[in-house]
């Protein structure tokens, strides 16, 4: 009898806790840098770059020291954030591919749960390539199509004094792009807070993607570096400052305690920047080695992470959707299956041991599978152009991936090869559209194309041709004599 009463009391406590959580659902802000490498933070002791605001965020939240972008380039990772699935499942093979409209997104899930939804900054999921331009309201894949009620966005990377699109209306701004979109996002968040409505806000920077255009004041501390590196690091100074603006803004609105802010980068760092960008890891953007995938990441949520700490638990951008779904109390049905991510919500309070679900990566015809400390890669020439070789690394012993263990640890290699083959079979089913109710990919998904070839943009060429971000793309081609 006592056991029965205890059991009933436990159930009642759980139900009351869930009800309270539903009544106090957190605001959510996803922040993502563009091409920021794993080593480019002050808290990782970068030799020249100071990031006091990211450092402060890390000191008051959960610092994820083994966090991975879903892919080594931008559009695929963005697809993984919105869906919880590997980019290949969603139709976003590489940069500039469009996200399939049949995918279930975190945006629509939260919108249907009563959240106001807003996107600010880089989009790059509408199949458009080239420097970022504002999107038309008739674009078939703009942020609103995937659930964003408000959006101030551009197709791709963007820099100082950008031209952006507010729900299809072109708007020109002056100043640093990171600071502009944070200011605009805070206006949106503040308006929802005034109406006591929870908000889901996505802030996707254009920094530090090339071309680099830092303010003189932000790059002067890097005067001894080459010109490109000066501007690259100067952009990161401004981006970090905007993080400080965001955190202060949330405090000023008196909603910081119950706002979950998740920061990361969309892929690994860039080559040819001095000092280097990946903290000594192997590879850079575009590579499935650690330098192309591992990125800085922090989750700050005072109401849900009351003991700041750092963790080595392997996590990835595919985990964002399932984590937030569990935090908010959404049913599993809001996520299209199969999912490649897992909820990290238990990790907010304690270490949870090893990761049960390996993390898959697939891009440019190469594949990797991360199972805690072991990482198996099948890499080499791009798809259909030659044989790819298997490589196995133990990242705990060899974080720089210098020693291939395929021969030394055959049992591990065999187990992981079988797991990779099984995942590849599942992924191919997704590529064919078998995950969707229709059992196929619907017609009408655009192929990647450059906006300079899109007729609707032609009327803007003359006005844009002297803008630094478009100049090289709109120069008249010299006639061959």
């Amino acid at each position: 009898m006592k056991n029965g009463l205890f059991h009933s009391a436990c159930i009642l406590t759980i139900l009351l806790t869930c009800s309270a959580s539903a009544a106090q659902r957190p605001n959510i802000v996803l922040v993502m840098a563009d091409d920021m490498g794993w080593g480019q933070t002050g808290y990782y002791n970068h030799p020249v770059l100071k990031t006091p605001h990211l450092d402060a965020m890390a000191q008051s939240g959960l610092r994820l020291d083994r966090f991975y972008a879903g892919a080594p380039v931008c559009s695929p990772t963005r697809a993984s954030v919105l869906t919880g699935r590997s980019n290949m499942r969603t139709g976003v093979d590489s940069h500039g591919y469009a996200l399939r409209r049949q995918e279930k997104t975190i945006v629509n899930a939260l919108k249907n749960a009563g959240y106001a939804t807003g996107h600010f900054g880089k989009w790059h999921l509408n199949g458009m390539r080239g420097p970022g331009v504002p999107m038309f309201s008739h674009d078939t894949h703009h942020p609103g199509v995937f659930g964003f009620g408000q959006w101030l966005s551009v197709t791709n990377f963007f820099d100082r004094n950008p031209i952006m699109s507010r729900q299809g209306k072109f708007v020109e701004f002056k100043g640093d792009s990171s600071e502009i979109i944070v200011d605009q996002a805070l206006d949106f968040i503040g308006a929802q807070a005034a109406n006591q409505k929870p908000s889901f806000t996505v802030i996707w920077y254009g920094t530090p993607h090339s071309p680099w255009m830092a303010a003189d004041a932000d790059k002067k501390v890097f005067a001894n570096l080459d010109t490109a590196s000066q501007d690259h690091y100067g952009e990161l100074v401004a981006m970090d400052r905007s993080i400080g603006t965001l955190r202060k803004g949330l405090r000023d609105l008196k909603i910081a305690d119950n706002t979950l802010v998740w920061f990361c980068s969309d892929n690994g760092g860039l080559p040819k920047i001095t000092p280097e960008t990946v903290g000594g890891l192997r590879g850079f953007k575009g590579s499935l080695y650690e330098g192309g995938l591992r990125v800085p990441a922090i989750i700050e949520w005072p109401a849900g992470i009351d003991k700041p700490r750092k963790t080595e638990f392997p996590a990835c951008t595919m985990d964002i959707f399932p984590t937030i779904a569990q935090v908010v109390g959404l049913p599993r049905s809001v996520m299209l299956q199969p999912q490649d991510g897992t909820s990290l919500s238990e990790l907010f309070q304690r270490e949870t041991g090893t990761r049960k679900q390996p993390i898959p990566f697939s891009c440019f015809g190469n594949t990797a599978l991360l199972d805690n400390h072991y990482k198996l890669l099948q890499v080499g020439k791009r798809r259909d152009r030659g044989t790819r070789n298997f490589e196995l690394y133990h990242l705990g012993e060899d974080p720089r991936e210098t020693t291939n263990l395929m021969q030394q640890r055959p049992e591990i290699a065999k187990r992981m090869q079988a797991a990779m083959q099984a995942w590849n079979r599942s992924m191919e089913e997704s590529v064919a559209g078998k995950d969707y109710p229709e059992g196929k990919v619907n017609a009408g998904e655009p192929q990647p194309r450059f906006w300079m070839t899109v007729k609707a943009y032609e009327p803007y060429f003359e006005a844009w041709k002297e803008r630094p971000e478009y100049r090289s793309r709109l120069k008249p081609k010299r006639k061959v004599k």
Side-chain angles (χ1 to χ4, degrees), residues 130-170:
V133 289
M135 284 172 279
F136 296 106
S137 60
H138 58 75
D139 191 303
T140 60
H141 287 69
H142 65 58
V145 173
F146 294 93
F148 286 105
Q150 294 189 36
W151 48 279
L152 179 70
S153 313
V154 291
T155 56
N156 197 355
F157 56 86
F158 61 114
D159 290 279
R160 293 186 65 79
N161 308 323
I163 302 175
M164 308 187 75
S165 176
R166 194 188 301 277
Q167 276 95 261
K169 181 181 179 181
F170 293 9

Side-chain angles (χ1 to χ4, degrees), residues 13 36 81 99 112 115 203 264 311 340 345-346 449 468 474:
T13 300
M36 182 182 185
V81 170
L99 179 64
N112 293 336
Y115 276 73
I203 300 172
C264 67
T311 181
D340 293 302
S345 59
E346 288 185 30
R449 72 275 191 211
L474 297 176

Side-chain angles (χ1 to χ4, degrees), residues 153-470:
S153 313
V154 291
T155 56
N156 197 355
F157 56 86
F158 61 114
D159 290 279
R160 293 186 65 79
N161 308 323
I163 302 175
M164 308 187 75
S165 176
R166 194 188 301 277
Q167 276 95 261
K169 181 181 179 181
F170 293 9
V171 186
E172 189 166 354
F173 293 88
K174 296 293 183 183
D176 181 85
S177 62
S178 298
E179 296 183 297
I180 288 165
I181 60 172
V182 165
D183 286 344
Q184 295 290 312
L186 281 171
D187 286 346
F188 166 76
I189 295 167
Q192 310 317 313
N195 292 325
Q196 297 186 319
K197 188 177 180 71
S199 57
F200 173 65
T201 308
V202 170
I203 300 172
W204 283 352
Y205 293 123
T207 290
H209 196 293
S210 64
W212 304 292
M213 303 178 193
D216 290 342
D218 290 331
K219 65 183 179 181
K220 66 180 180 181
V221 69
F222 311 113
N224 62 328
L225 304 180
D226 62 88
T227 300
S229 298
Q230 287 180 39
D231 280 297
H232 176 91
Y233 281 109
E235 284 195 6
L236 283 169
V237 168
M239 189 201 78
D240 181 72
R241 185 169 59 245
S242 77
I243 293 287
T245 300
L246 174 65
R247 296 176 73 238
K248 183 180 184 299
L250 296 173
R251 293 193 299 271
D252 290 345
L253 291 168
K254 303 189 186 310
I255 60 171
D257 282 352
N258 200 30
T259 298
L260 187 159
V261 182
W262 195 323
F263 172 85
C264 67
S265 180
D266 65 343
N267 48 247
L270 299 173
K272 301 179 182 179
I273 296 294
T274 304
E276 59 94 352
T277 60
V278 297
L281 299 175
R282 180 179 178 179
F284 296 94
K285 175 182 178 178
S287 165
L288 292 184
Y289 294 110
E290 291 289 282
L293 292 171
R294 197 191 294 196
V295 295
I298 308 163
I299 305 171
E300 185 177 26
W301 180 26
I305 304 173
D306 54 4
K307 293 181 180 178
R309 72 180 203 284
K310 55 186 177 182
T311 181
E312 293 276 337
F313 185 86
C316 63
T317 52
M318 286 85 85
D319 297 337
I320 293 174
F321 191 172
T323 300
I324 290 173
Q326 186 165 9
V327 165
V328 173
L330 303 180
R332 186 171 182 266
S333 59
V334 302
M335 295 176 283
L336 186 63
Q337 303 300 322
Q339 284 280 299
D340 293 302
T342 188
S343 174
L344 304 179
S345 59
E346 288 185 30
L347 195 64
F348 291 178
Q349 296 299 325
R350 61 180 179 85
E351 289 299 316
T352 57
T354 56
R355 185 184 176 98
K356 297 179 176 62
Q357 180 177 339
I359 303 174
F361 306 95
S362 182
C363 200
F364 300 138
N366 298 321
T367 308
L369 192 69
L370 180 67
D371 188 358
N372 293 290
H373 282 304
Y374 282 104
K375 182 178 176 184
L376 179 72
L377 299 97
Q378 190 177 24
V379 294
K381 295 183 178 179
R382 293 191 176 187
R383 182 177 295 173
D384 299 328
R385 295 182 186 177
T387 303
R388 295 179 298 281
N389 301 315
F390 283 105
E391 298 173 14
L392 177 68
Y393 300 99
H394 188 287
L395 299 176
E397 300 168 354
D398 181 24
R400 298 184 180 183
E401 296 168 299
T402 61
T403 305
N404 185 354
L405 300 174
M406 286 296 295
Q407 301 301 319
Q408 293 94 316
R409 301 183 189 178
E411 291 303 315
I412 298 293
K414 183 178 179 181
R415 173 178 64 80
M416 292 192 68
Q417 282 178 302
M420 181 179 284
Q421 289 168 2
W423 183 81
N424 277 331
R425 288 193 294 271
S426 172
M427 181 264 288
E428 292 296 342
E429 291 283 295
S430 300
V431 169
K434 302 300 183 183
D435 304 341
Y436 304 132
E438 301 86 349
K440 63 178 183 178
V441 177
N442 288 342
E445 299 297 337
Q447 291 299 306
R449 72 275 191 211
F450 287 92
W451 58 263
M452 297 81 74
T453 67
V454 176
K455 192 171 184 63
Y457 282 108
E458 288 181 5
Y460 299 92
F461 288 180
E462 184 64 27
W464 289 355
K465 68 180 183 180
E466 295 305 322
R467 291 183 62 90
E469 68 271 41
Y470 306 146

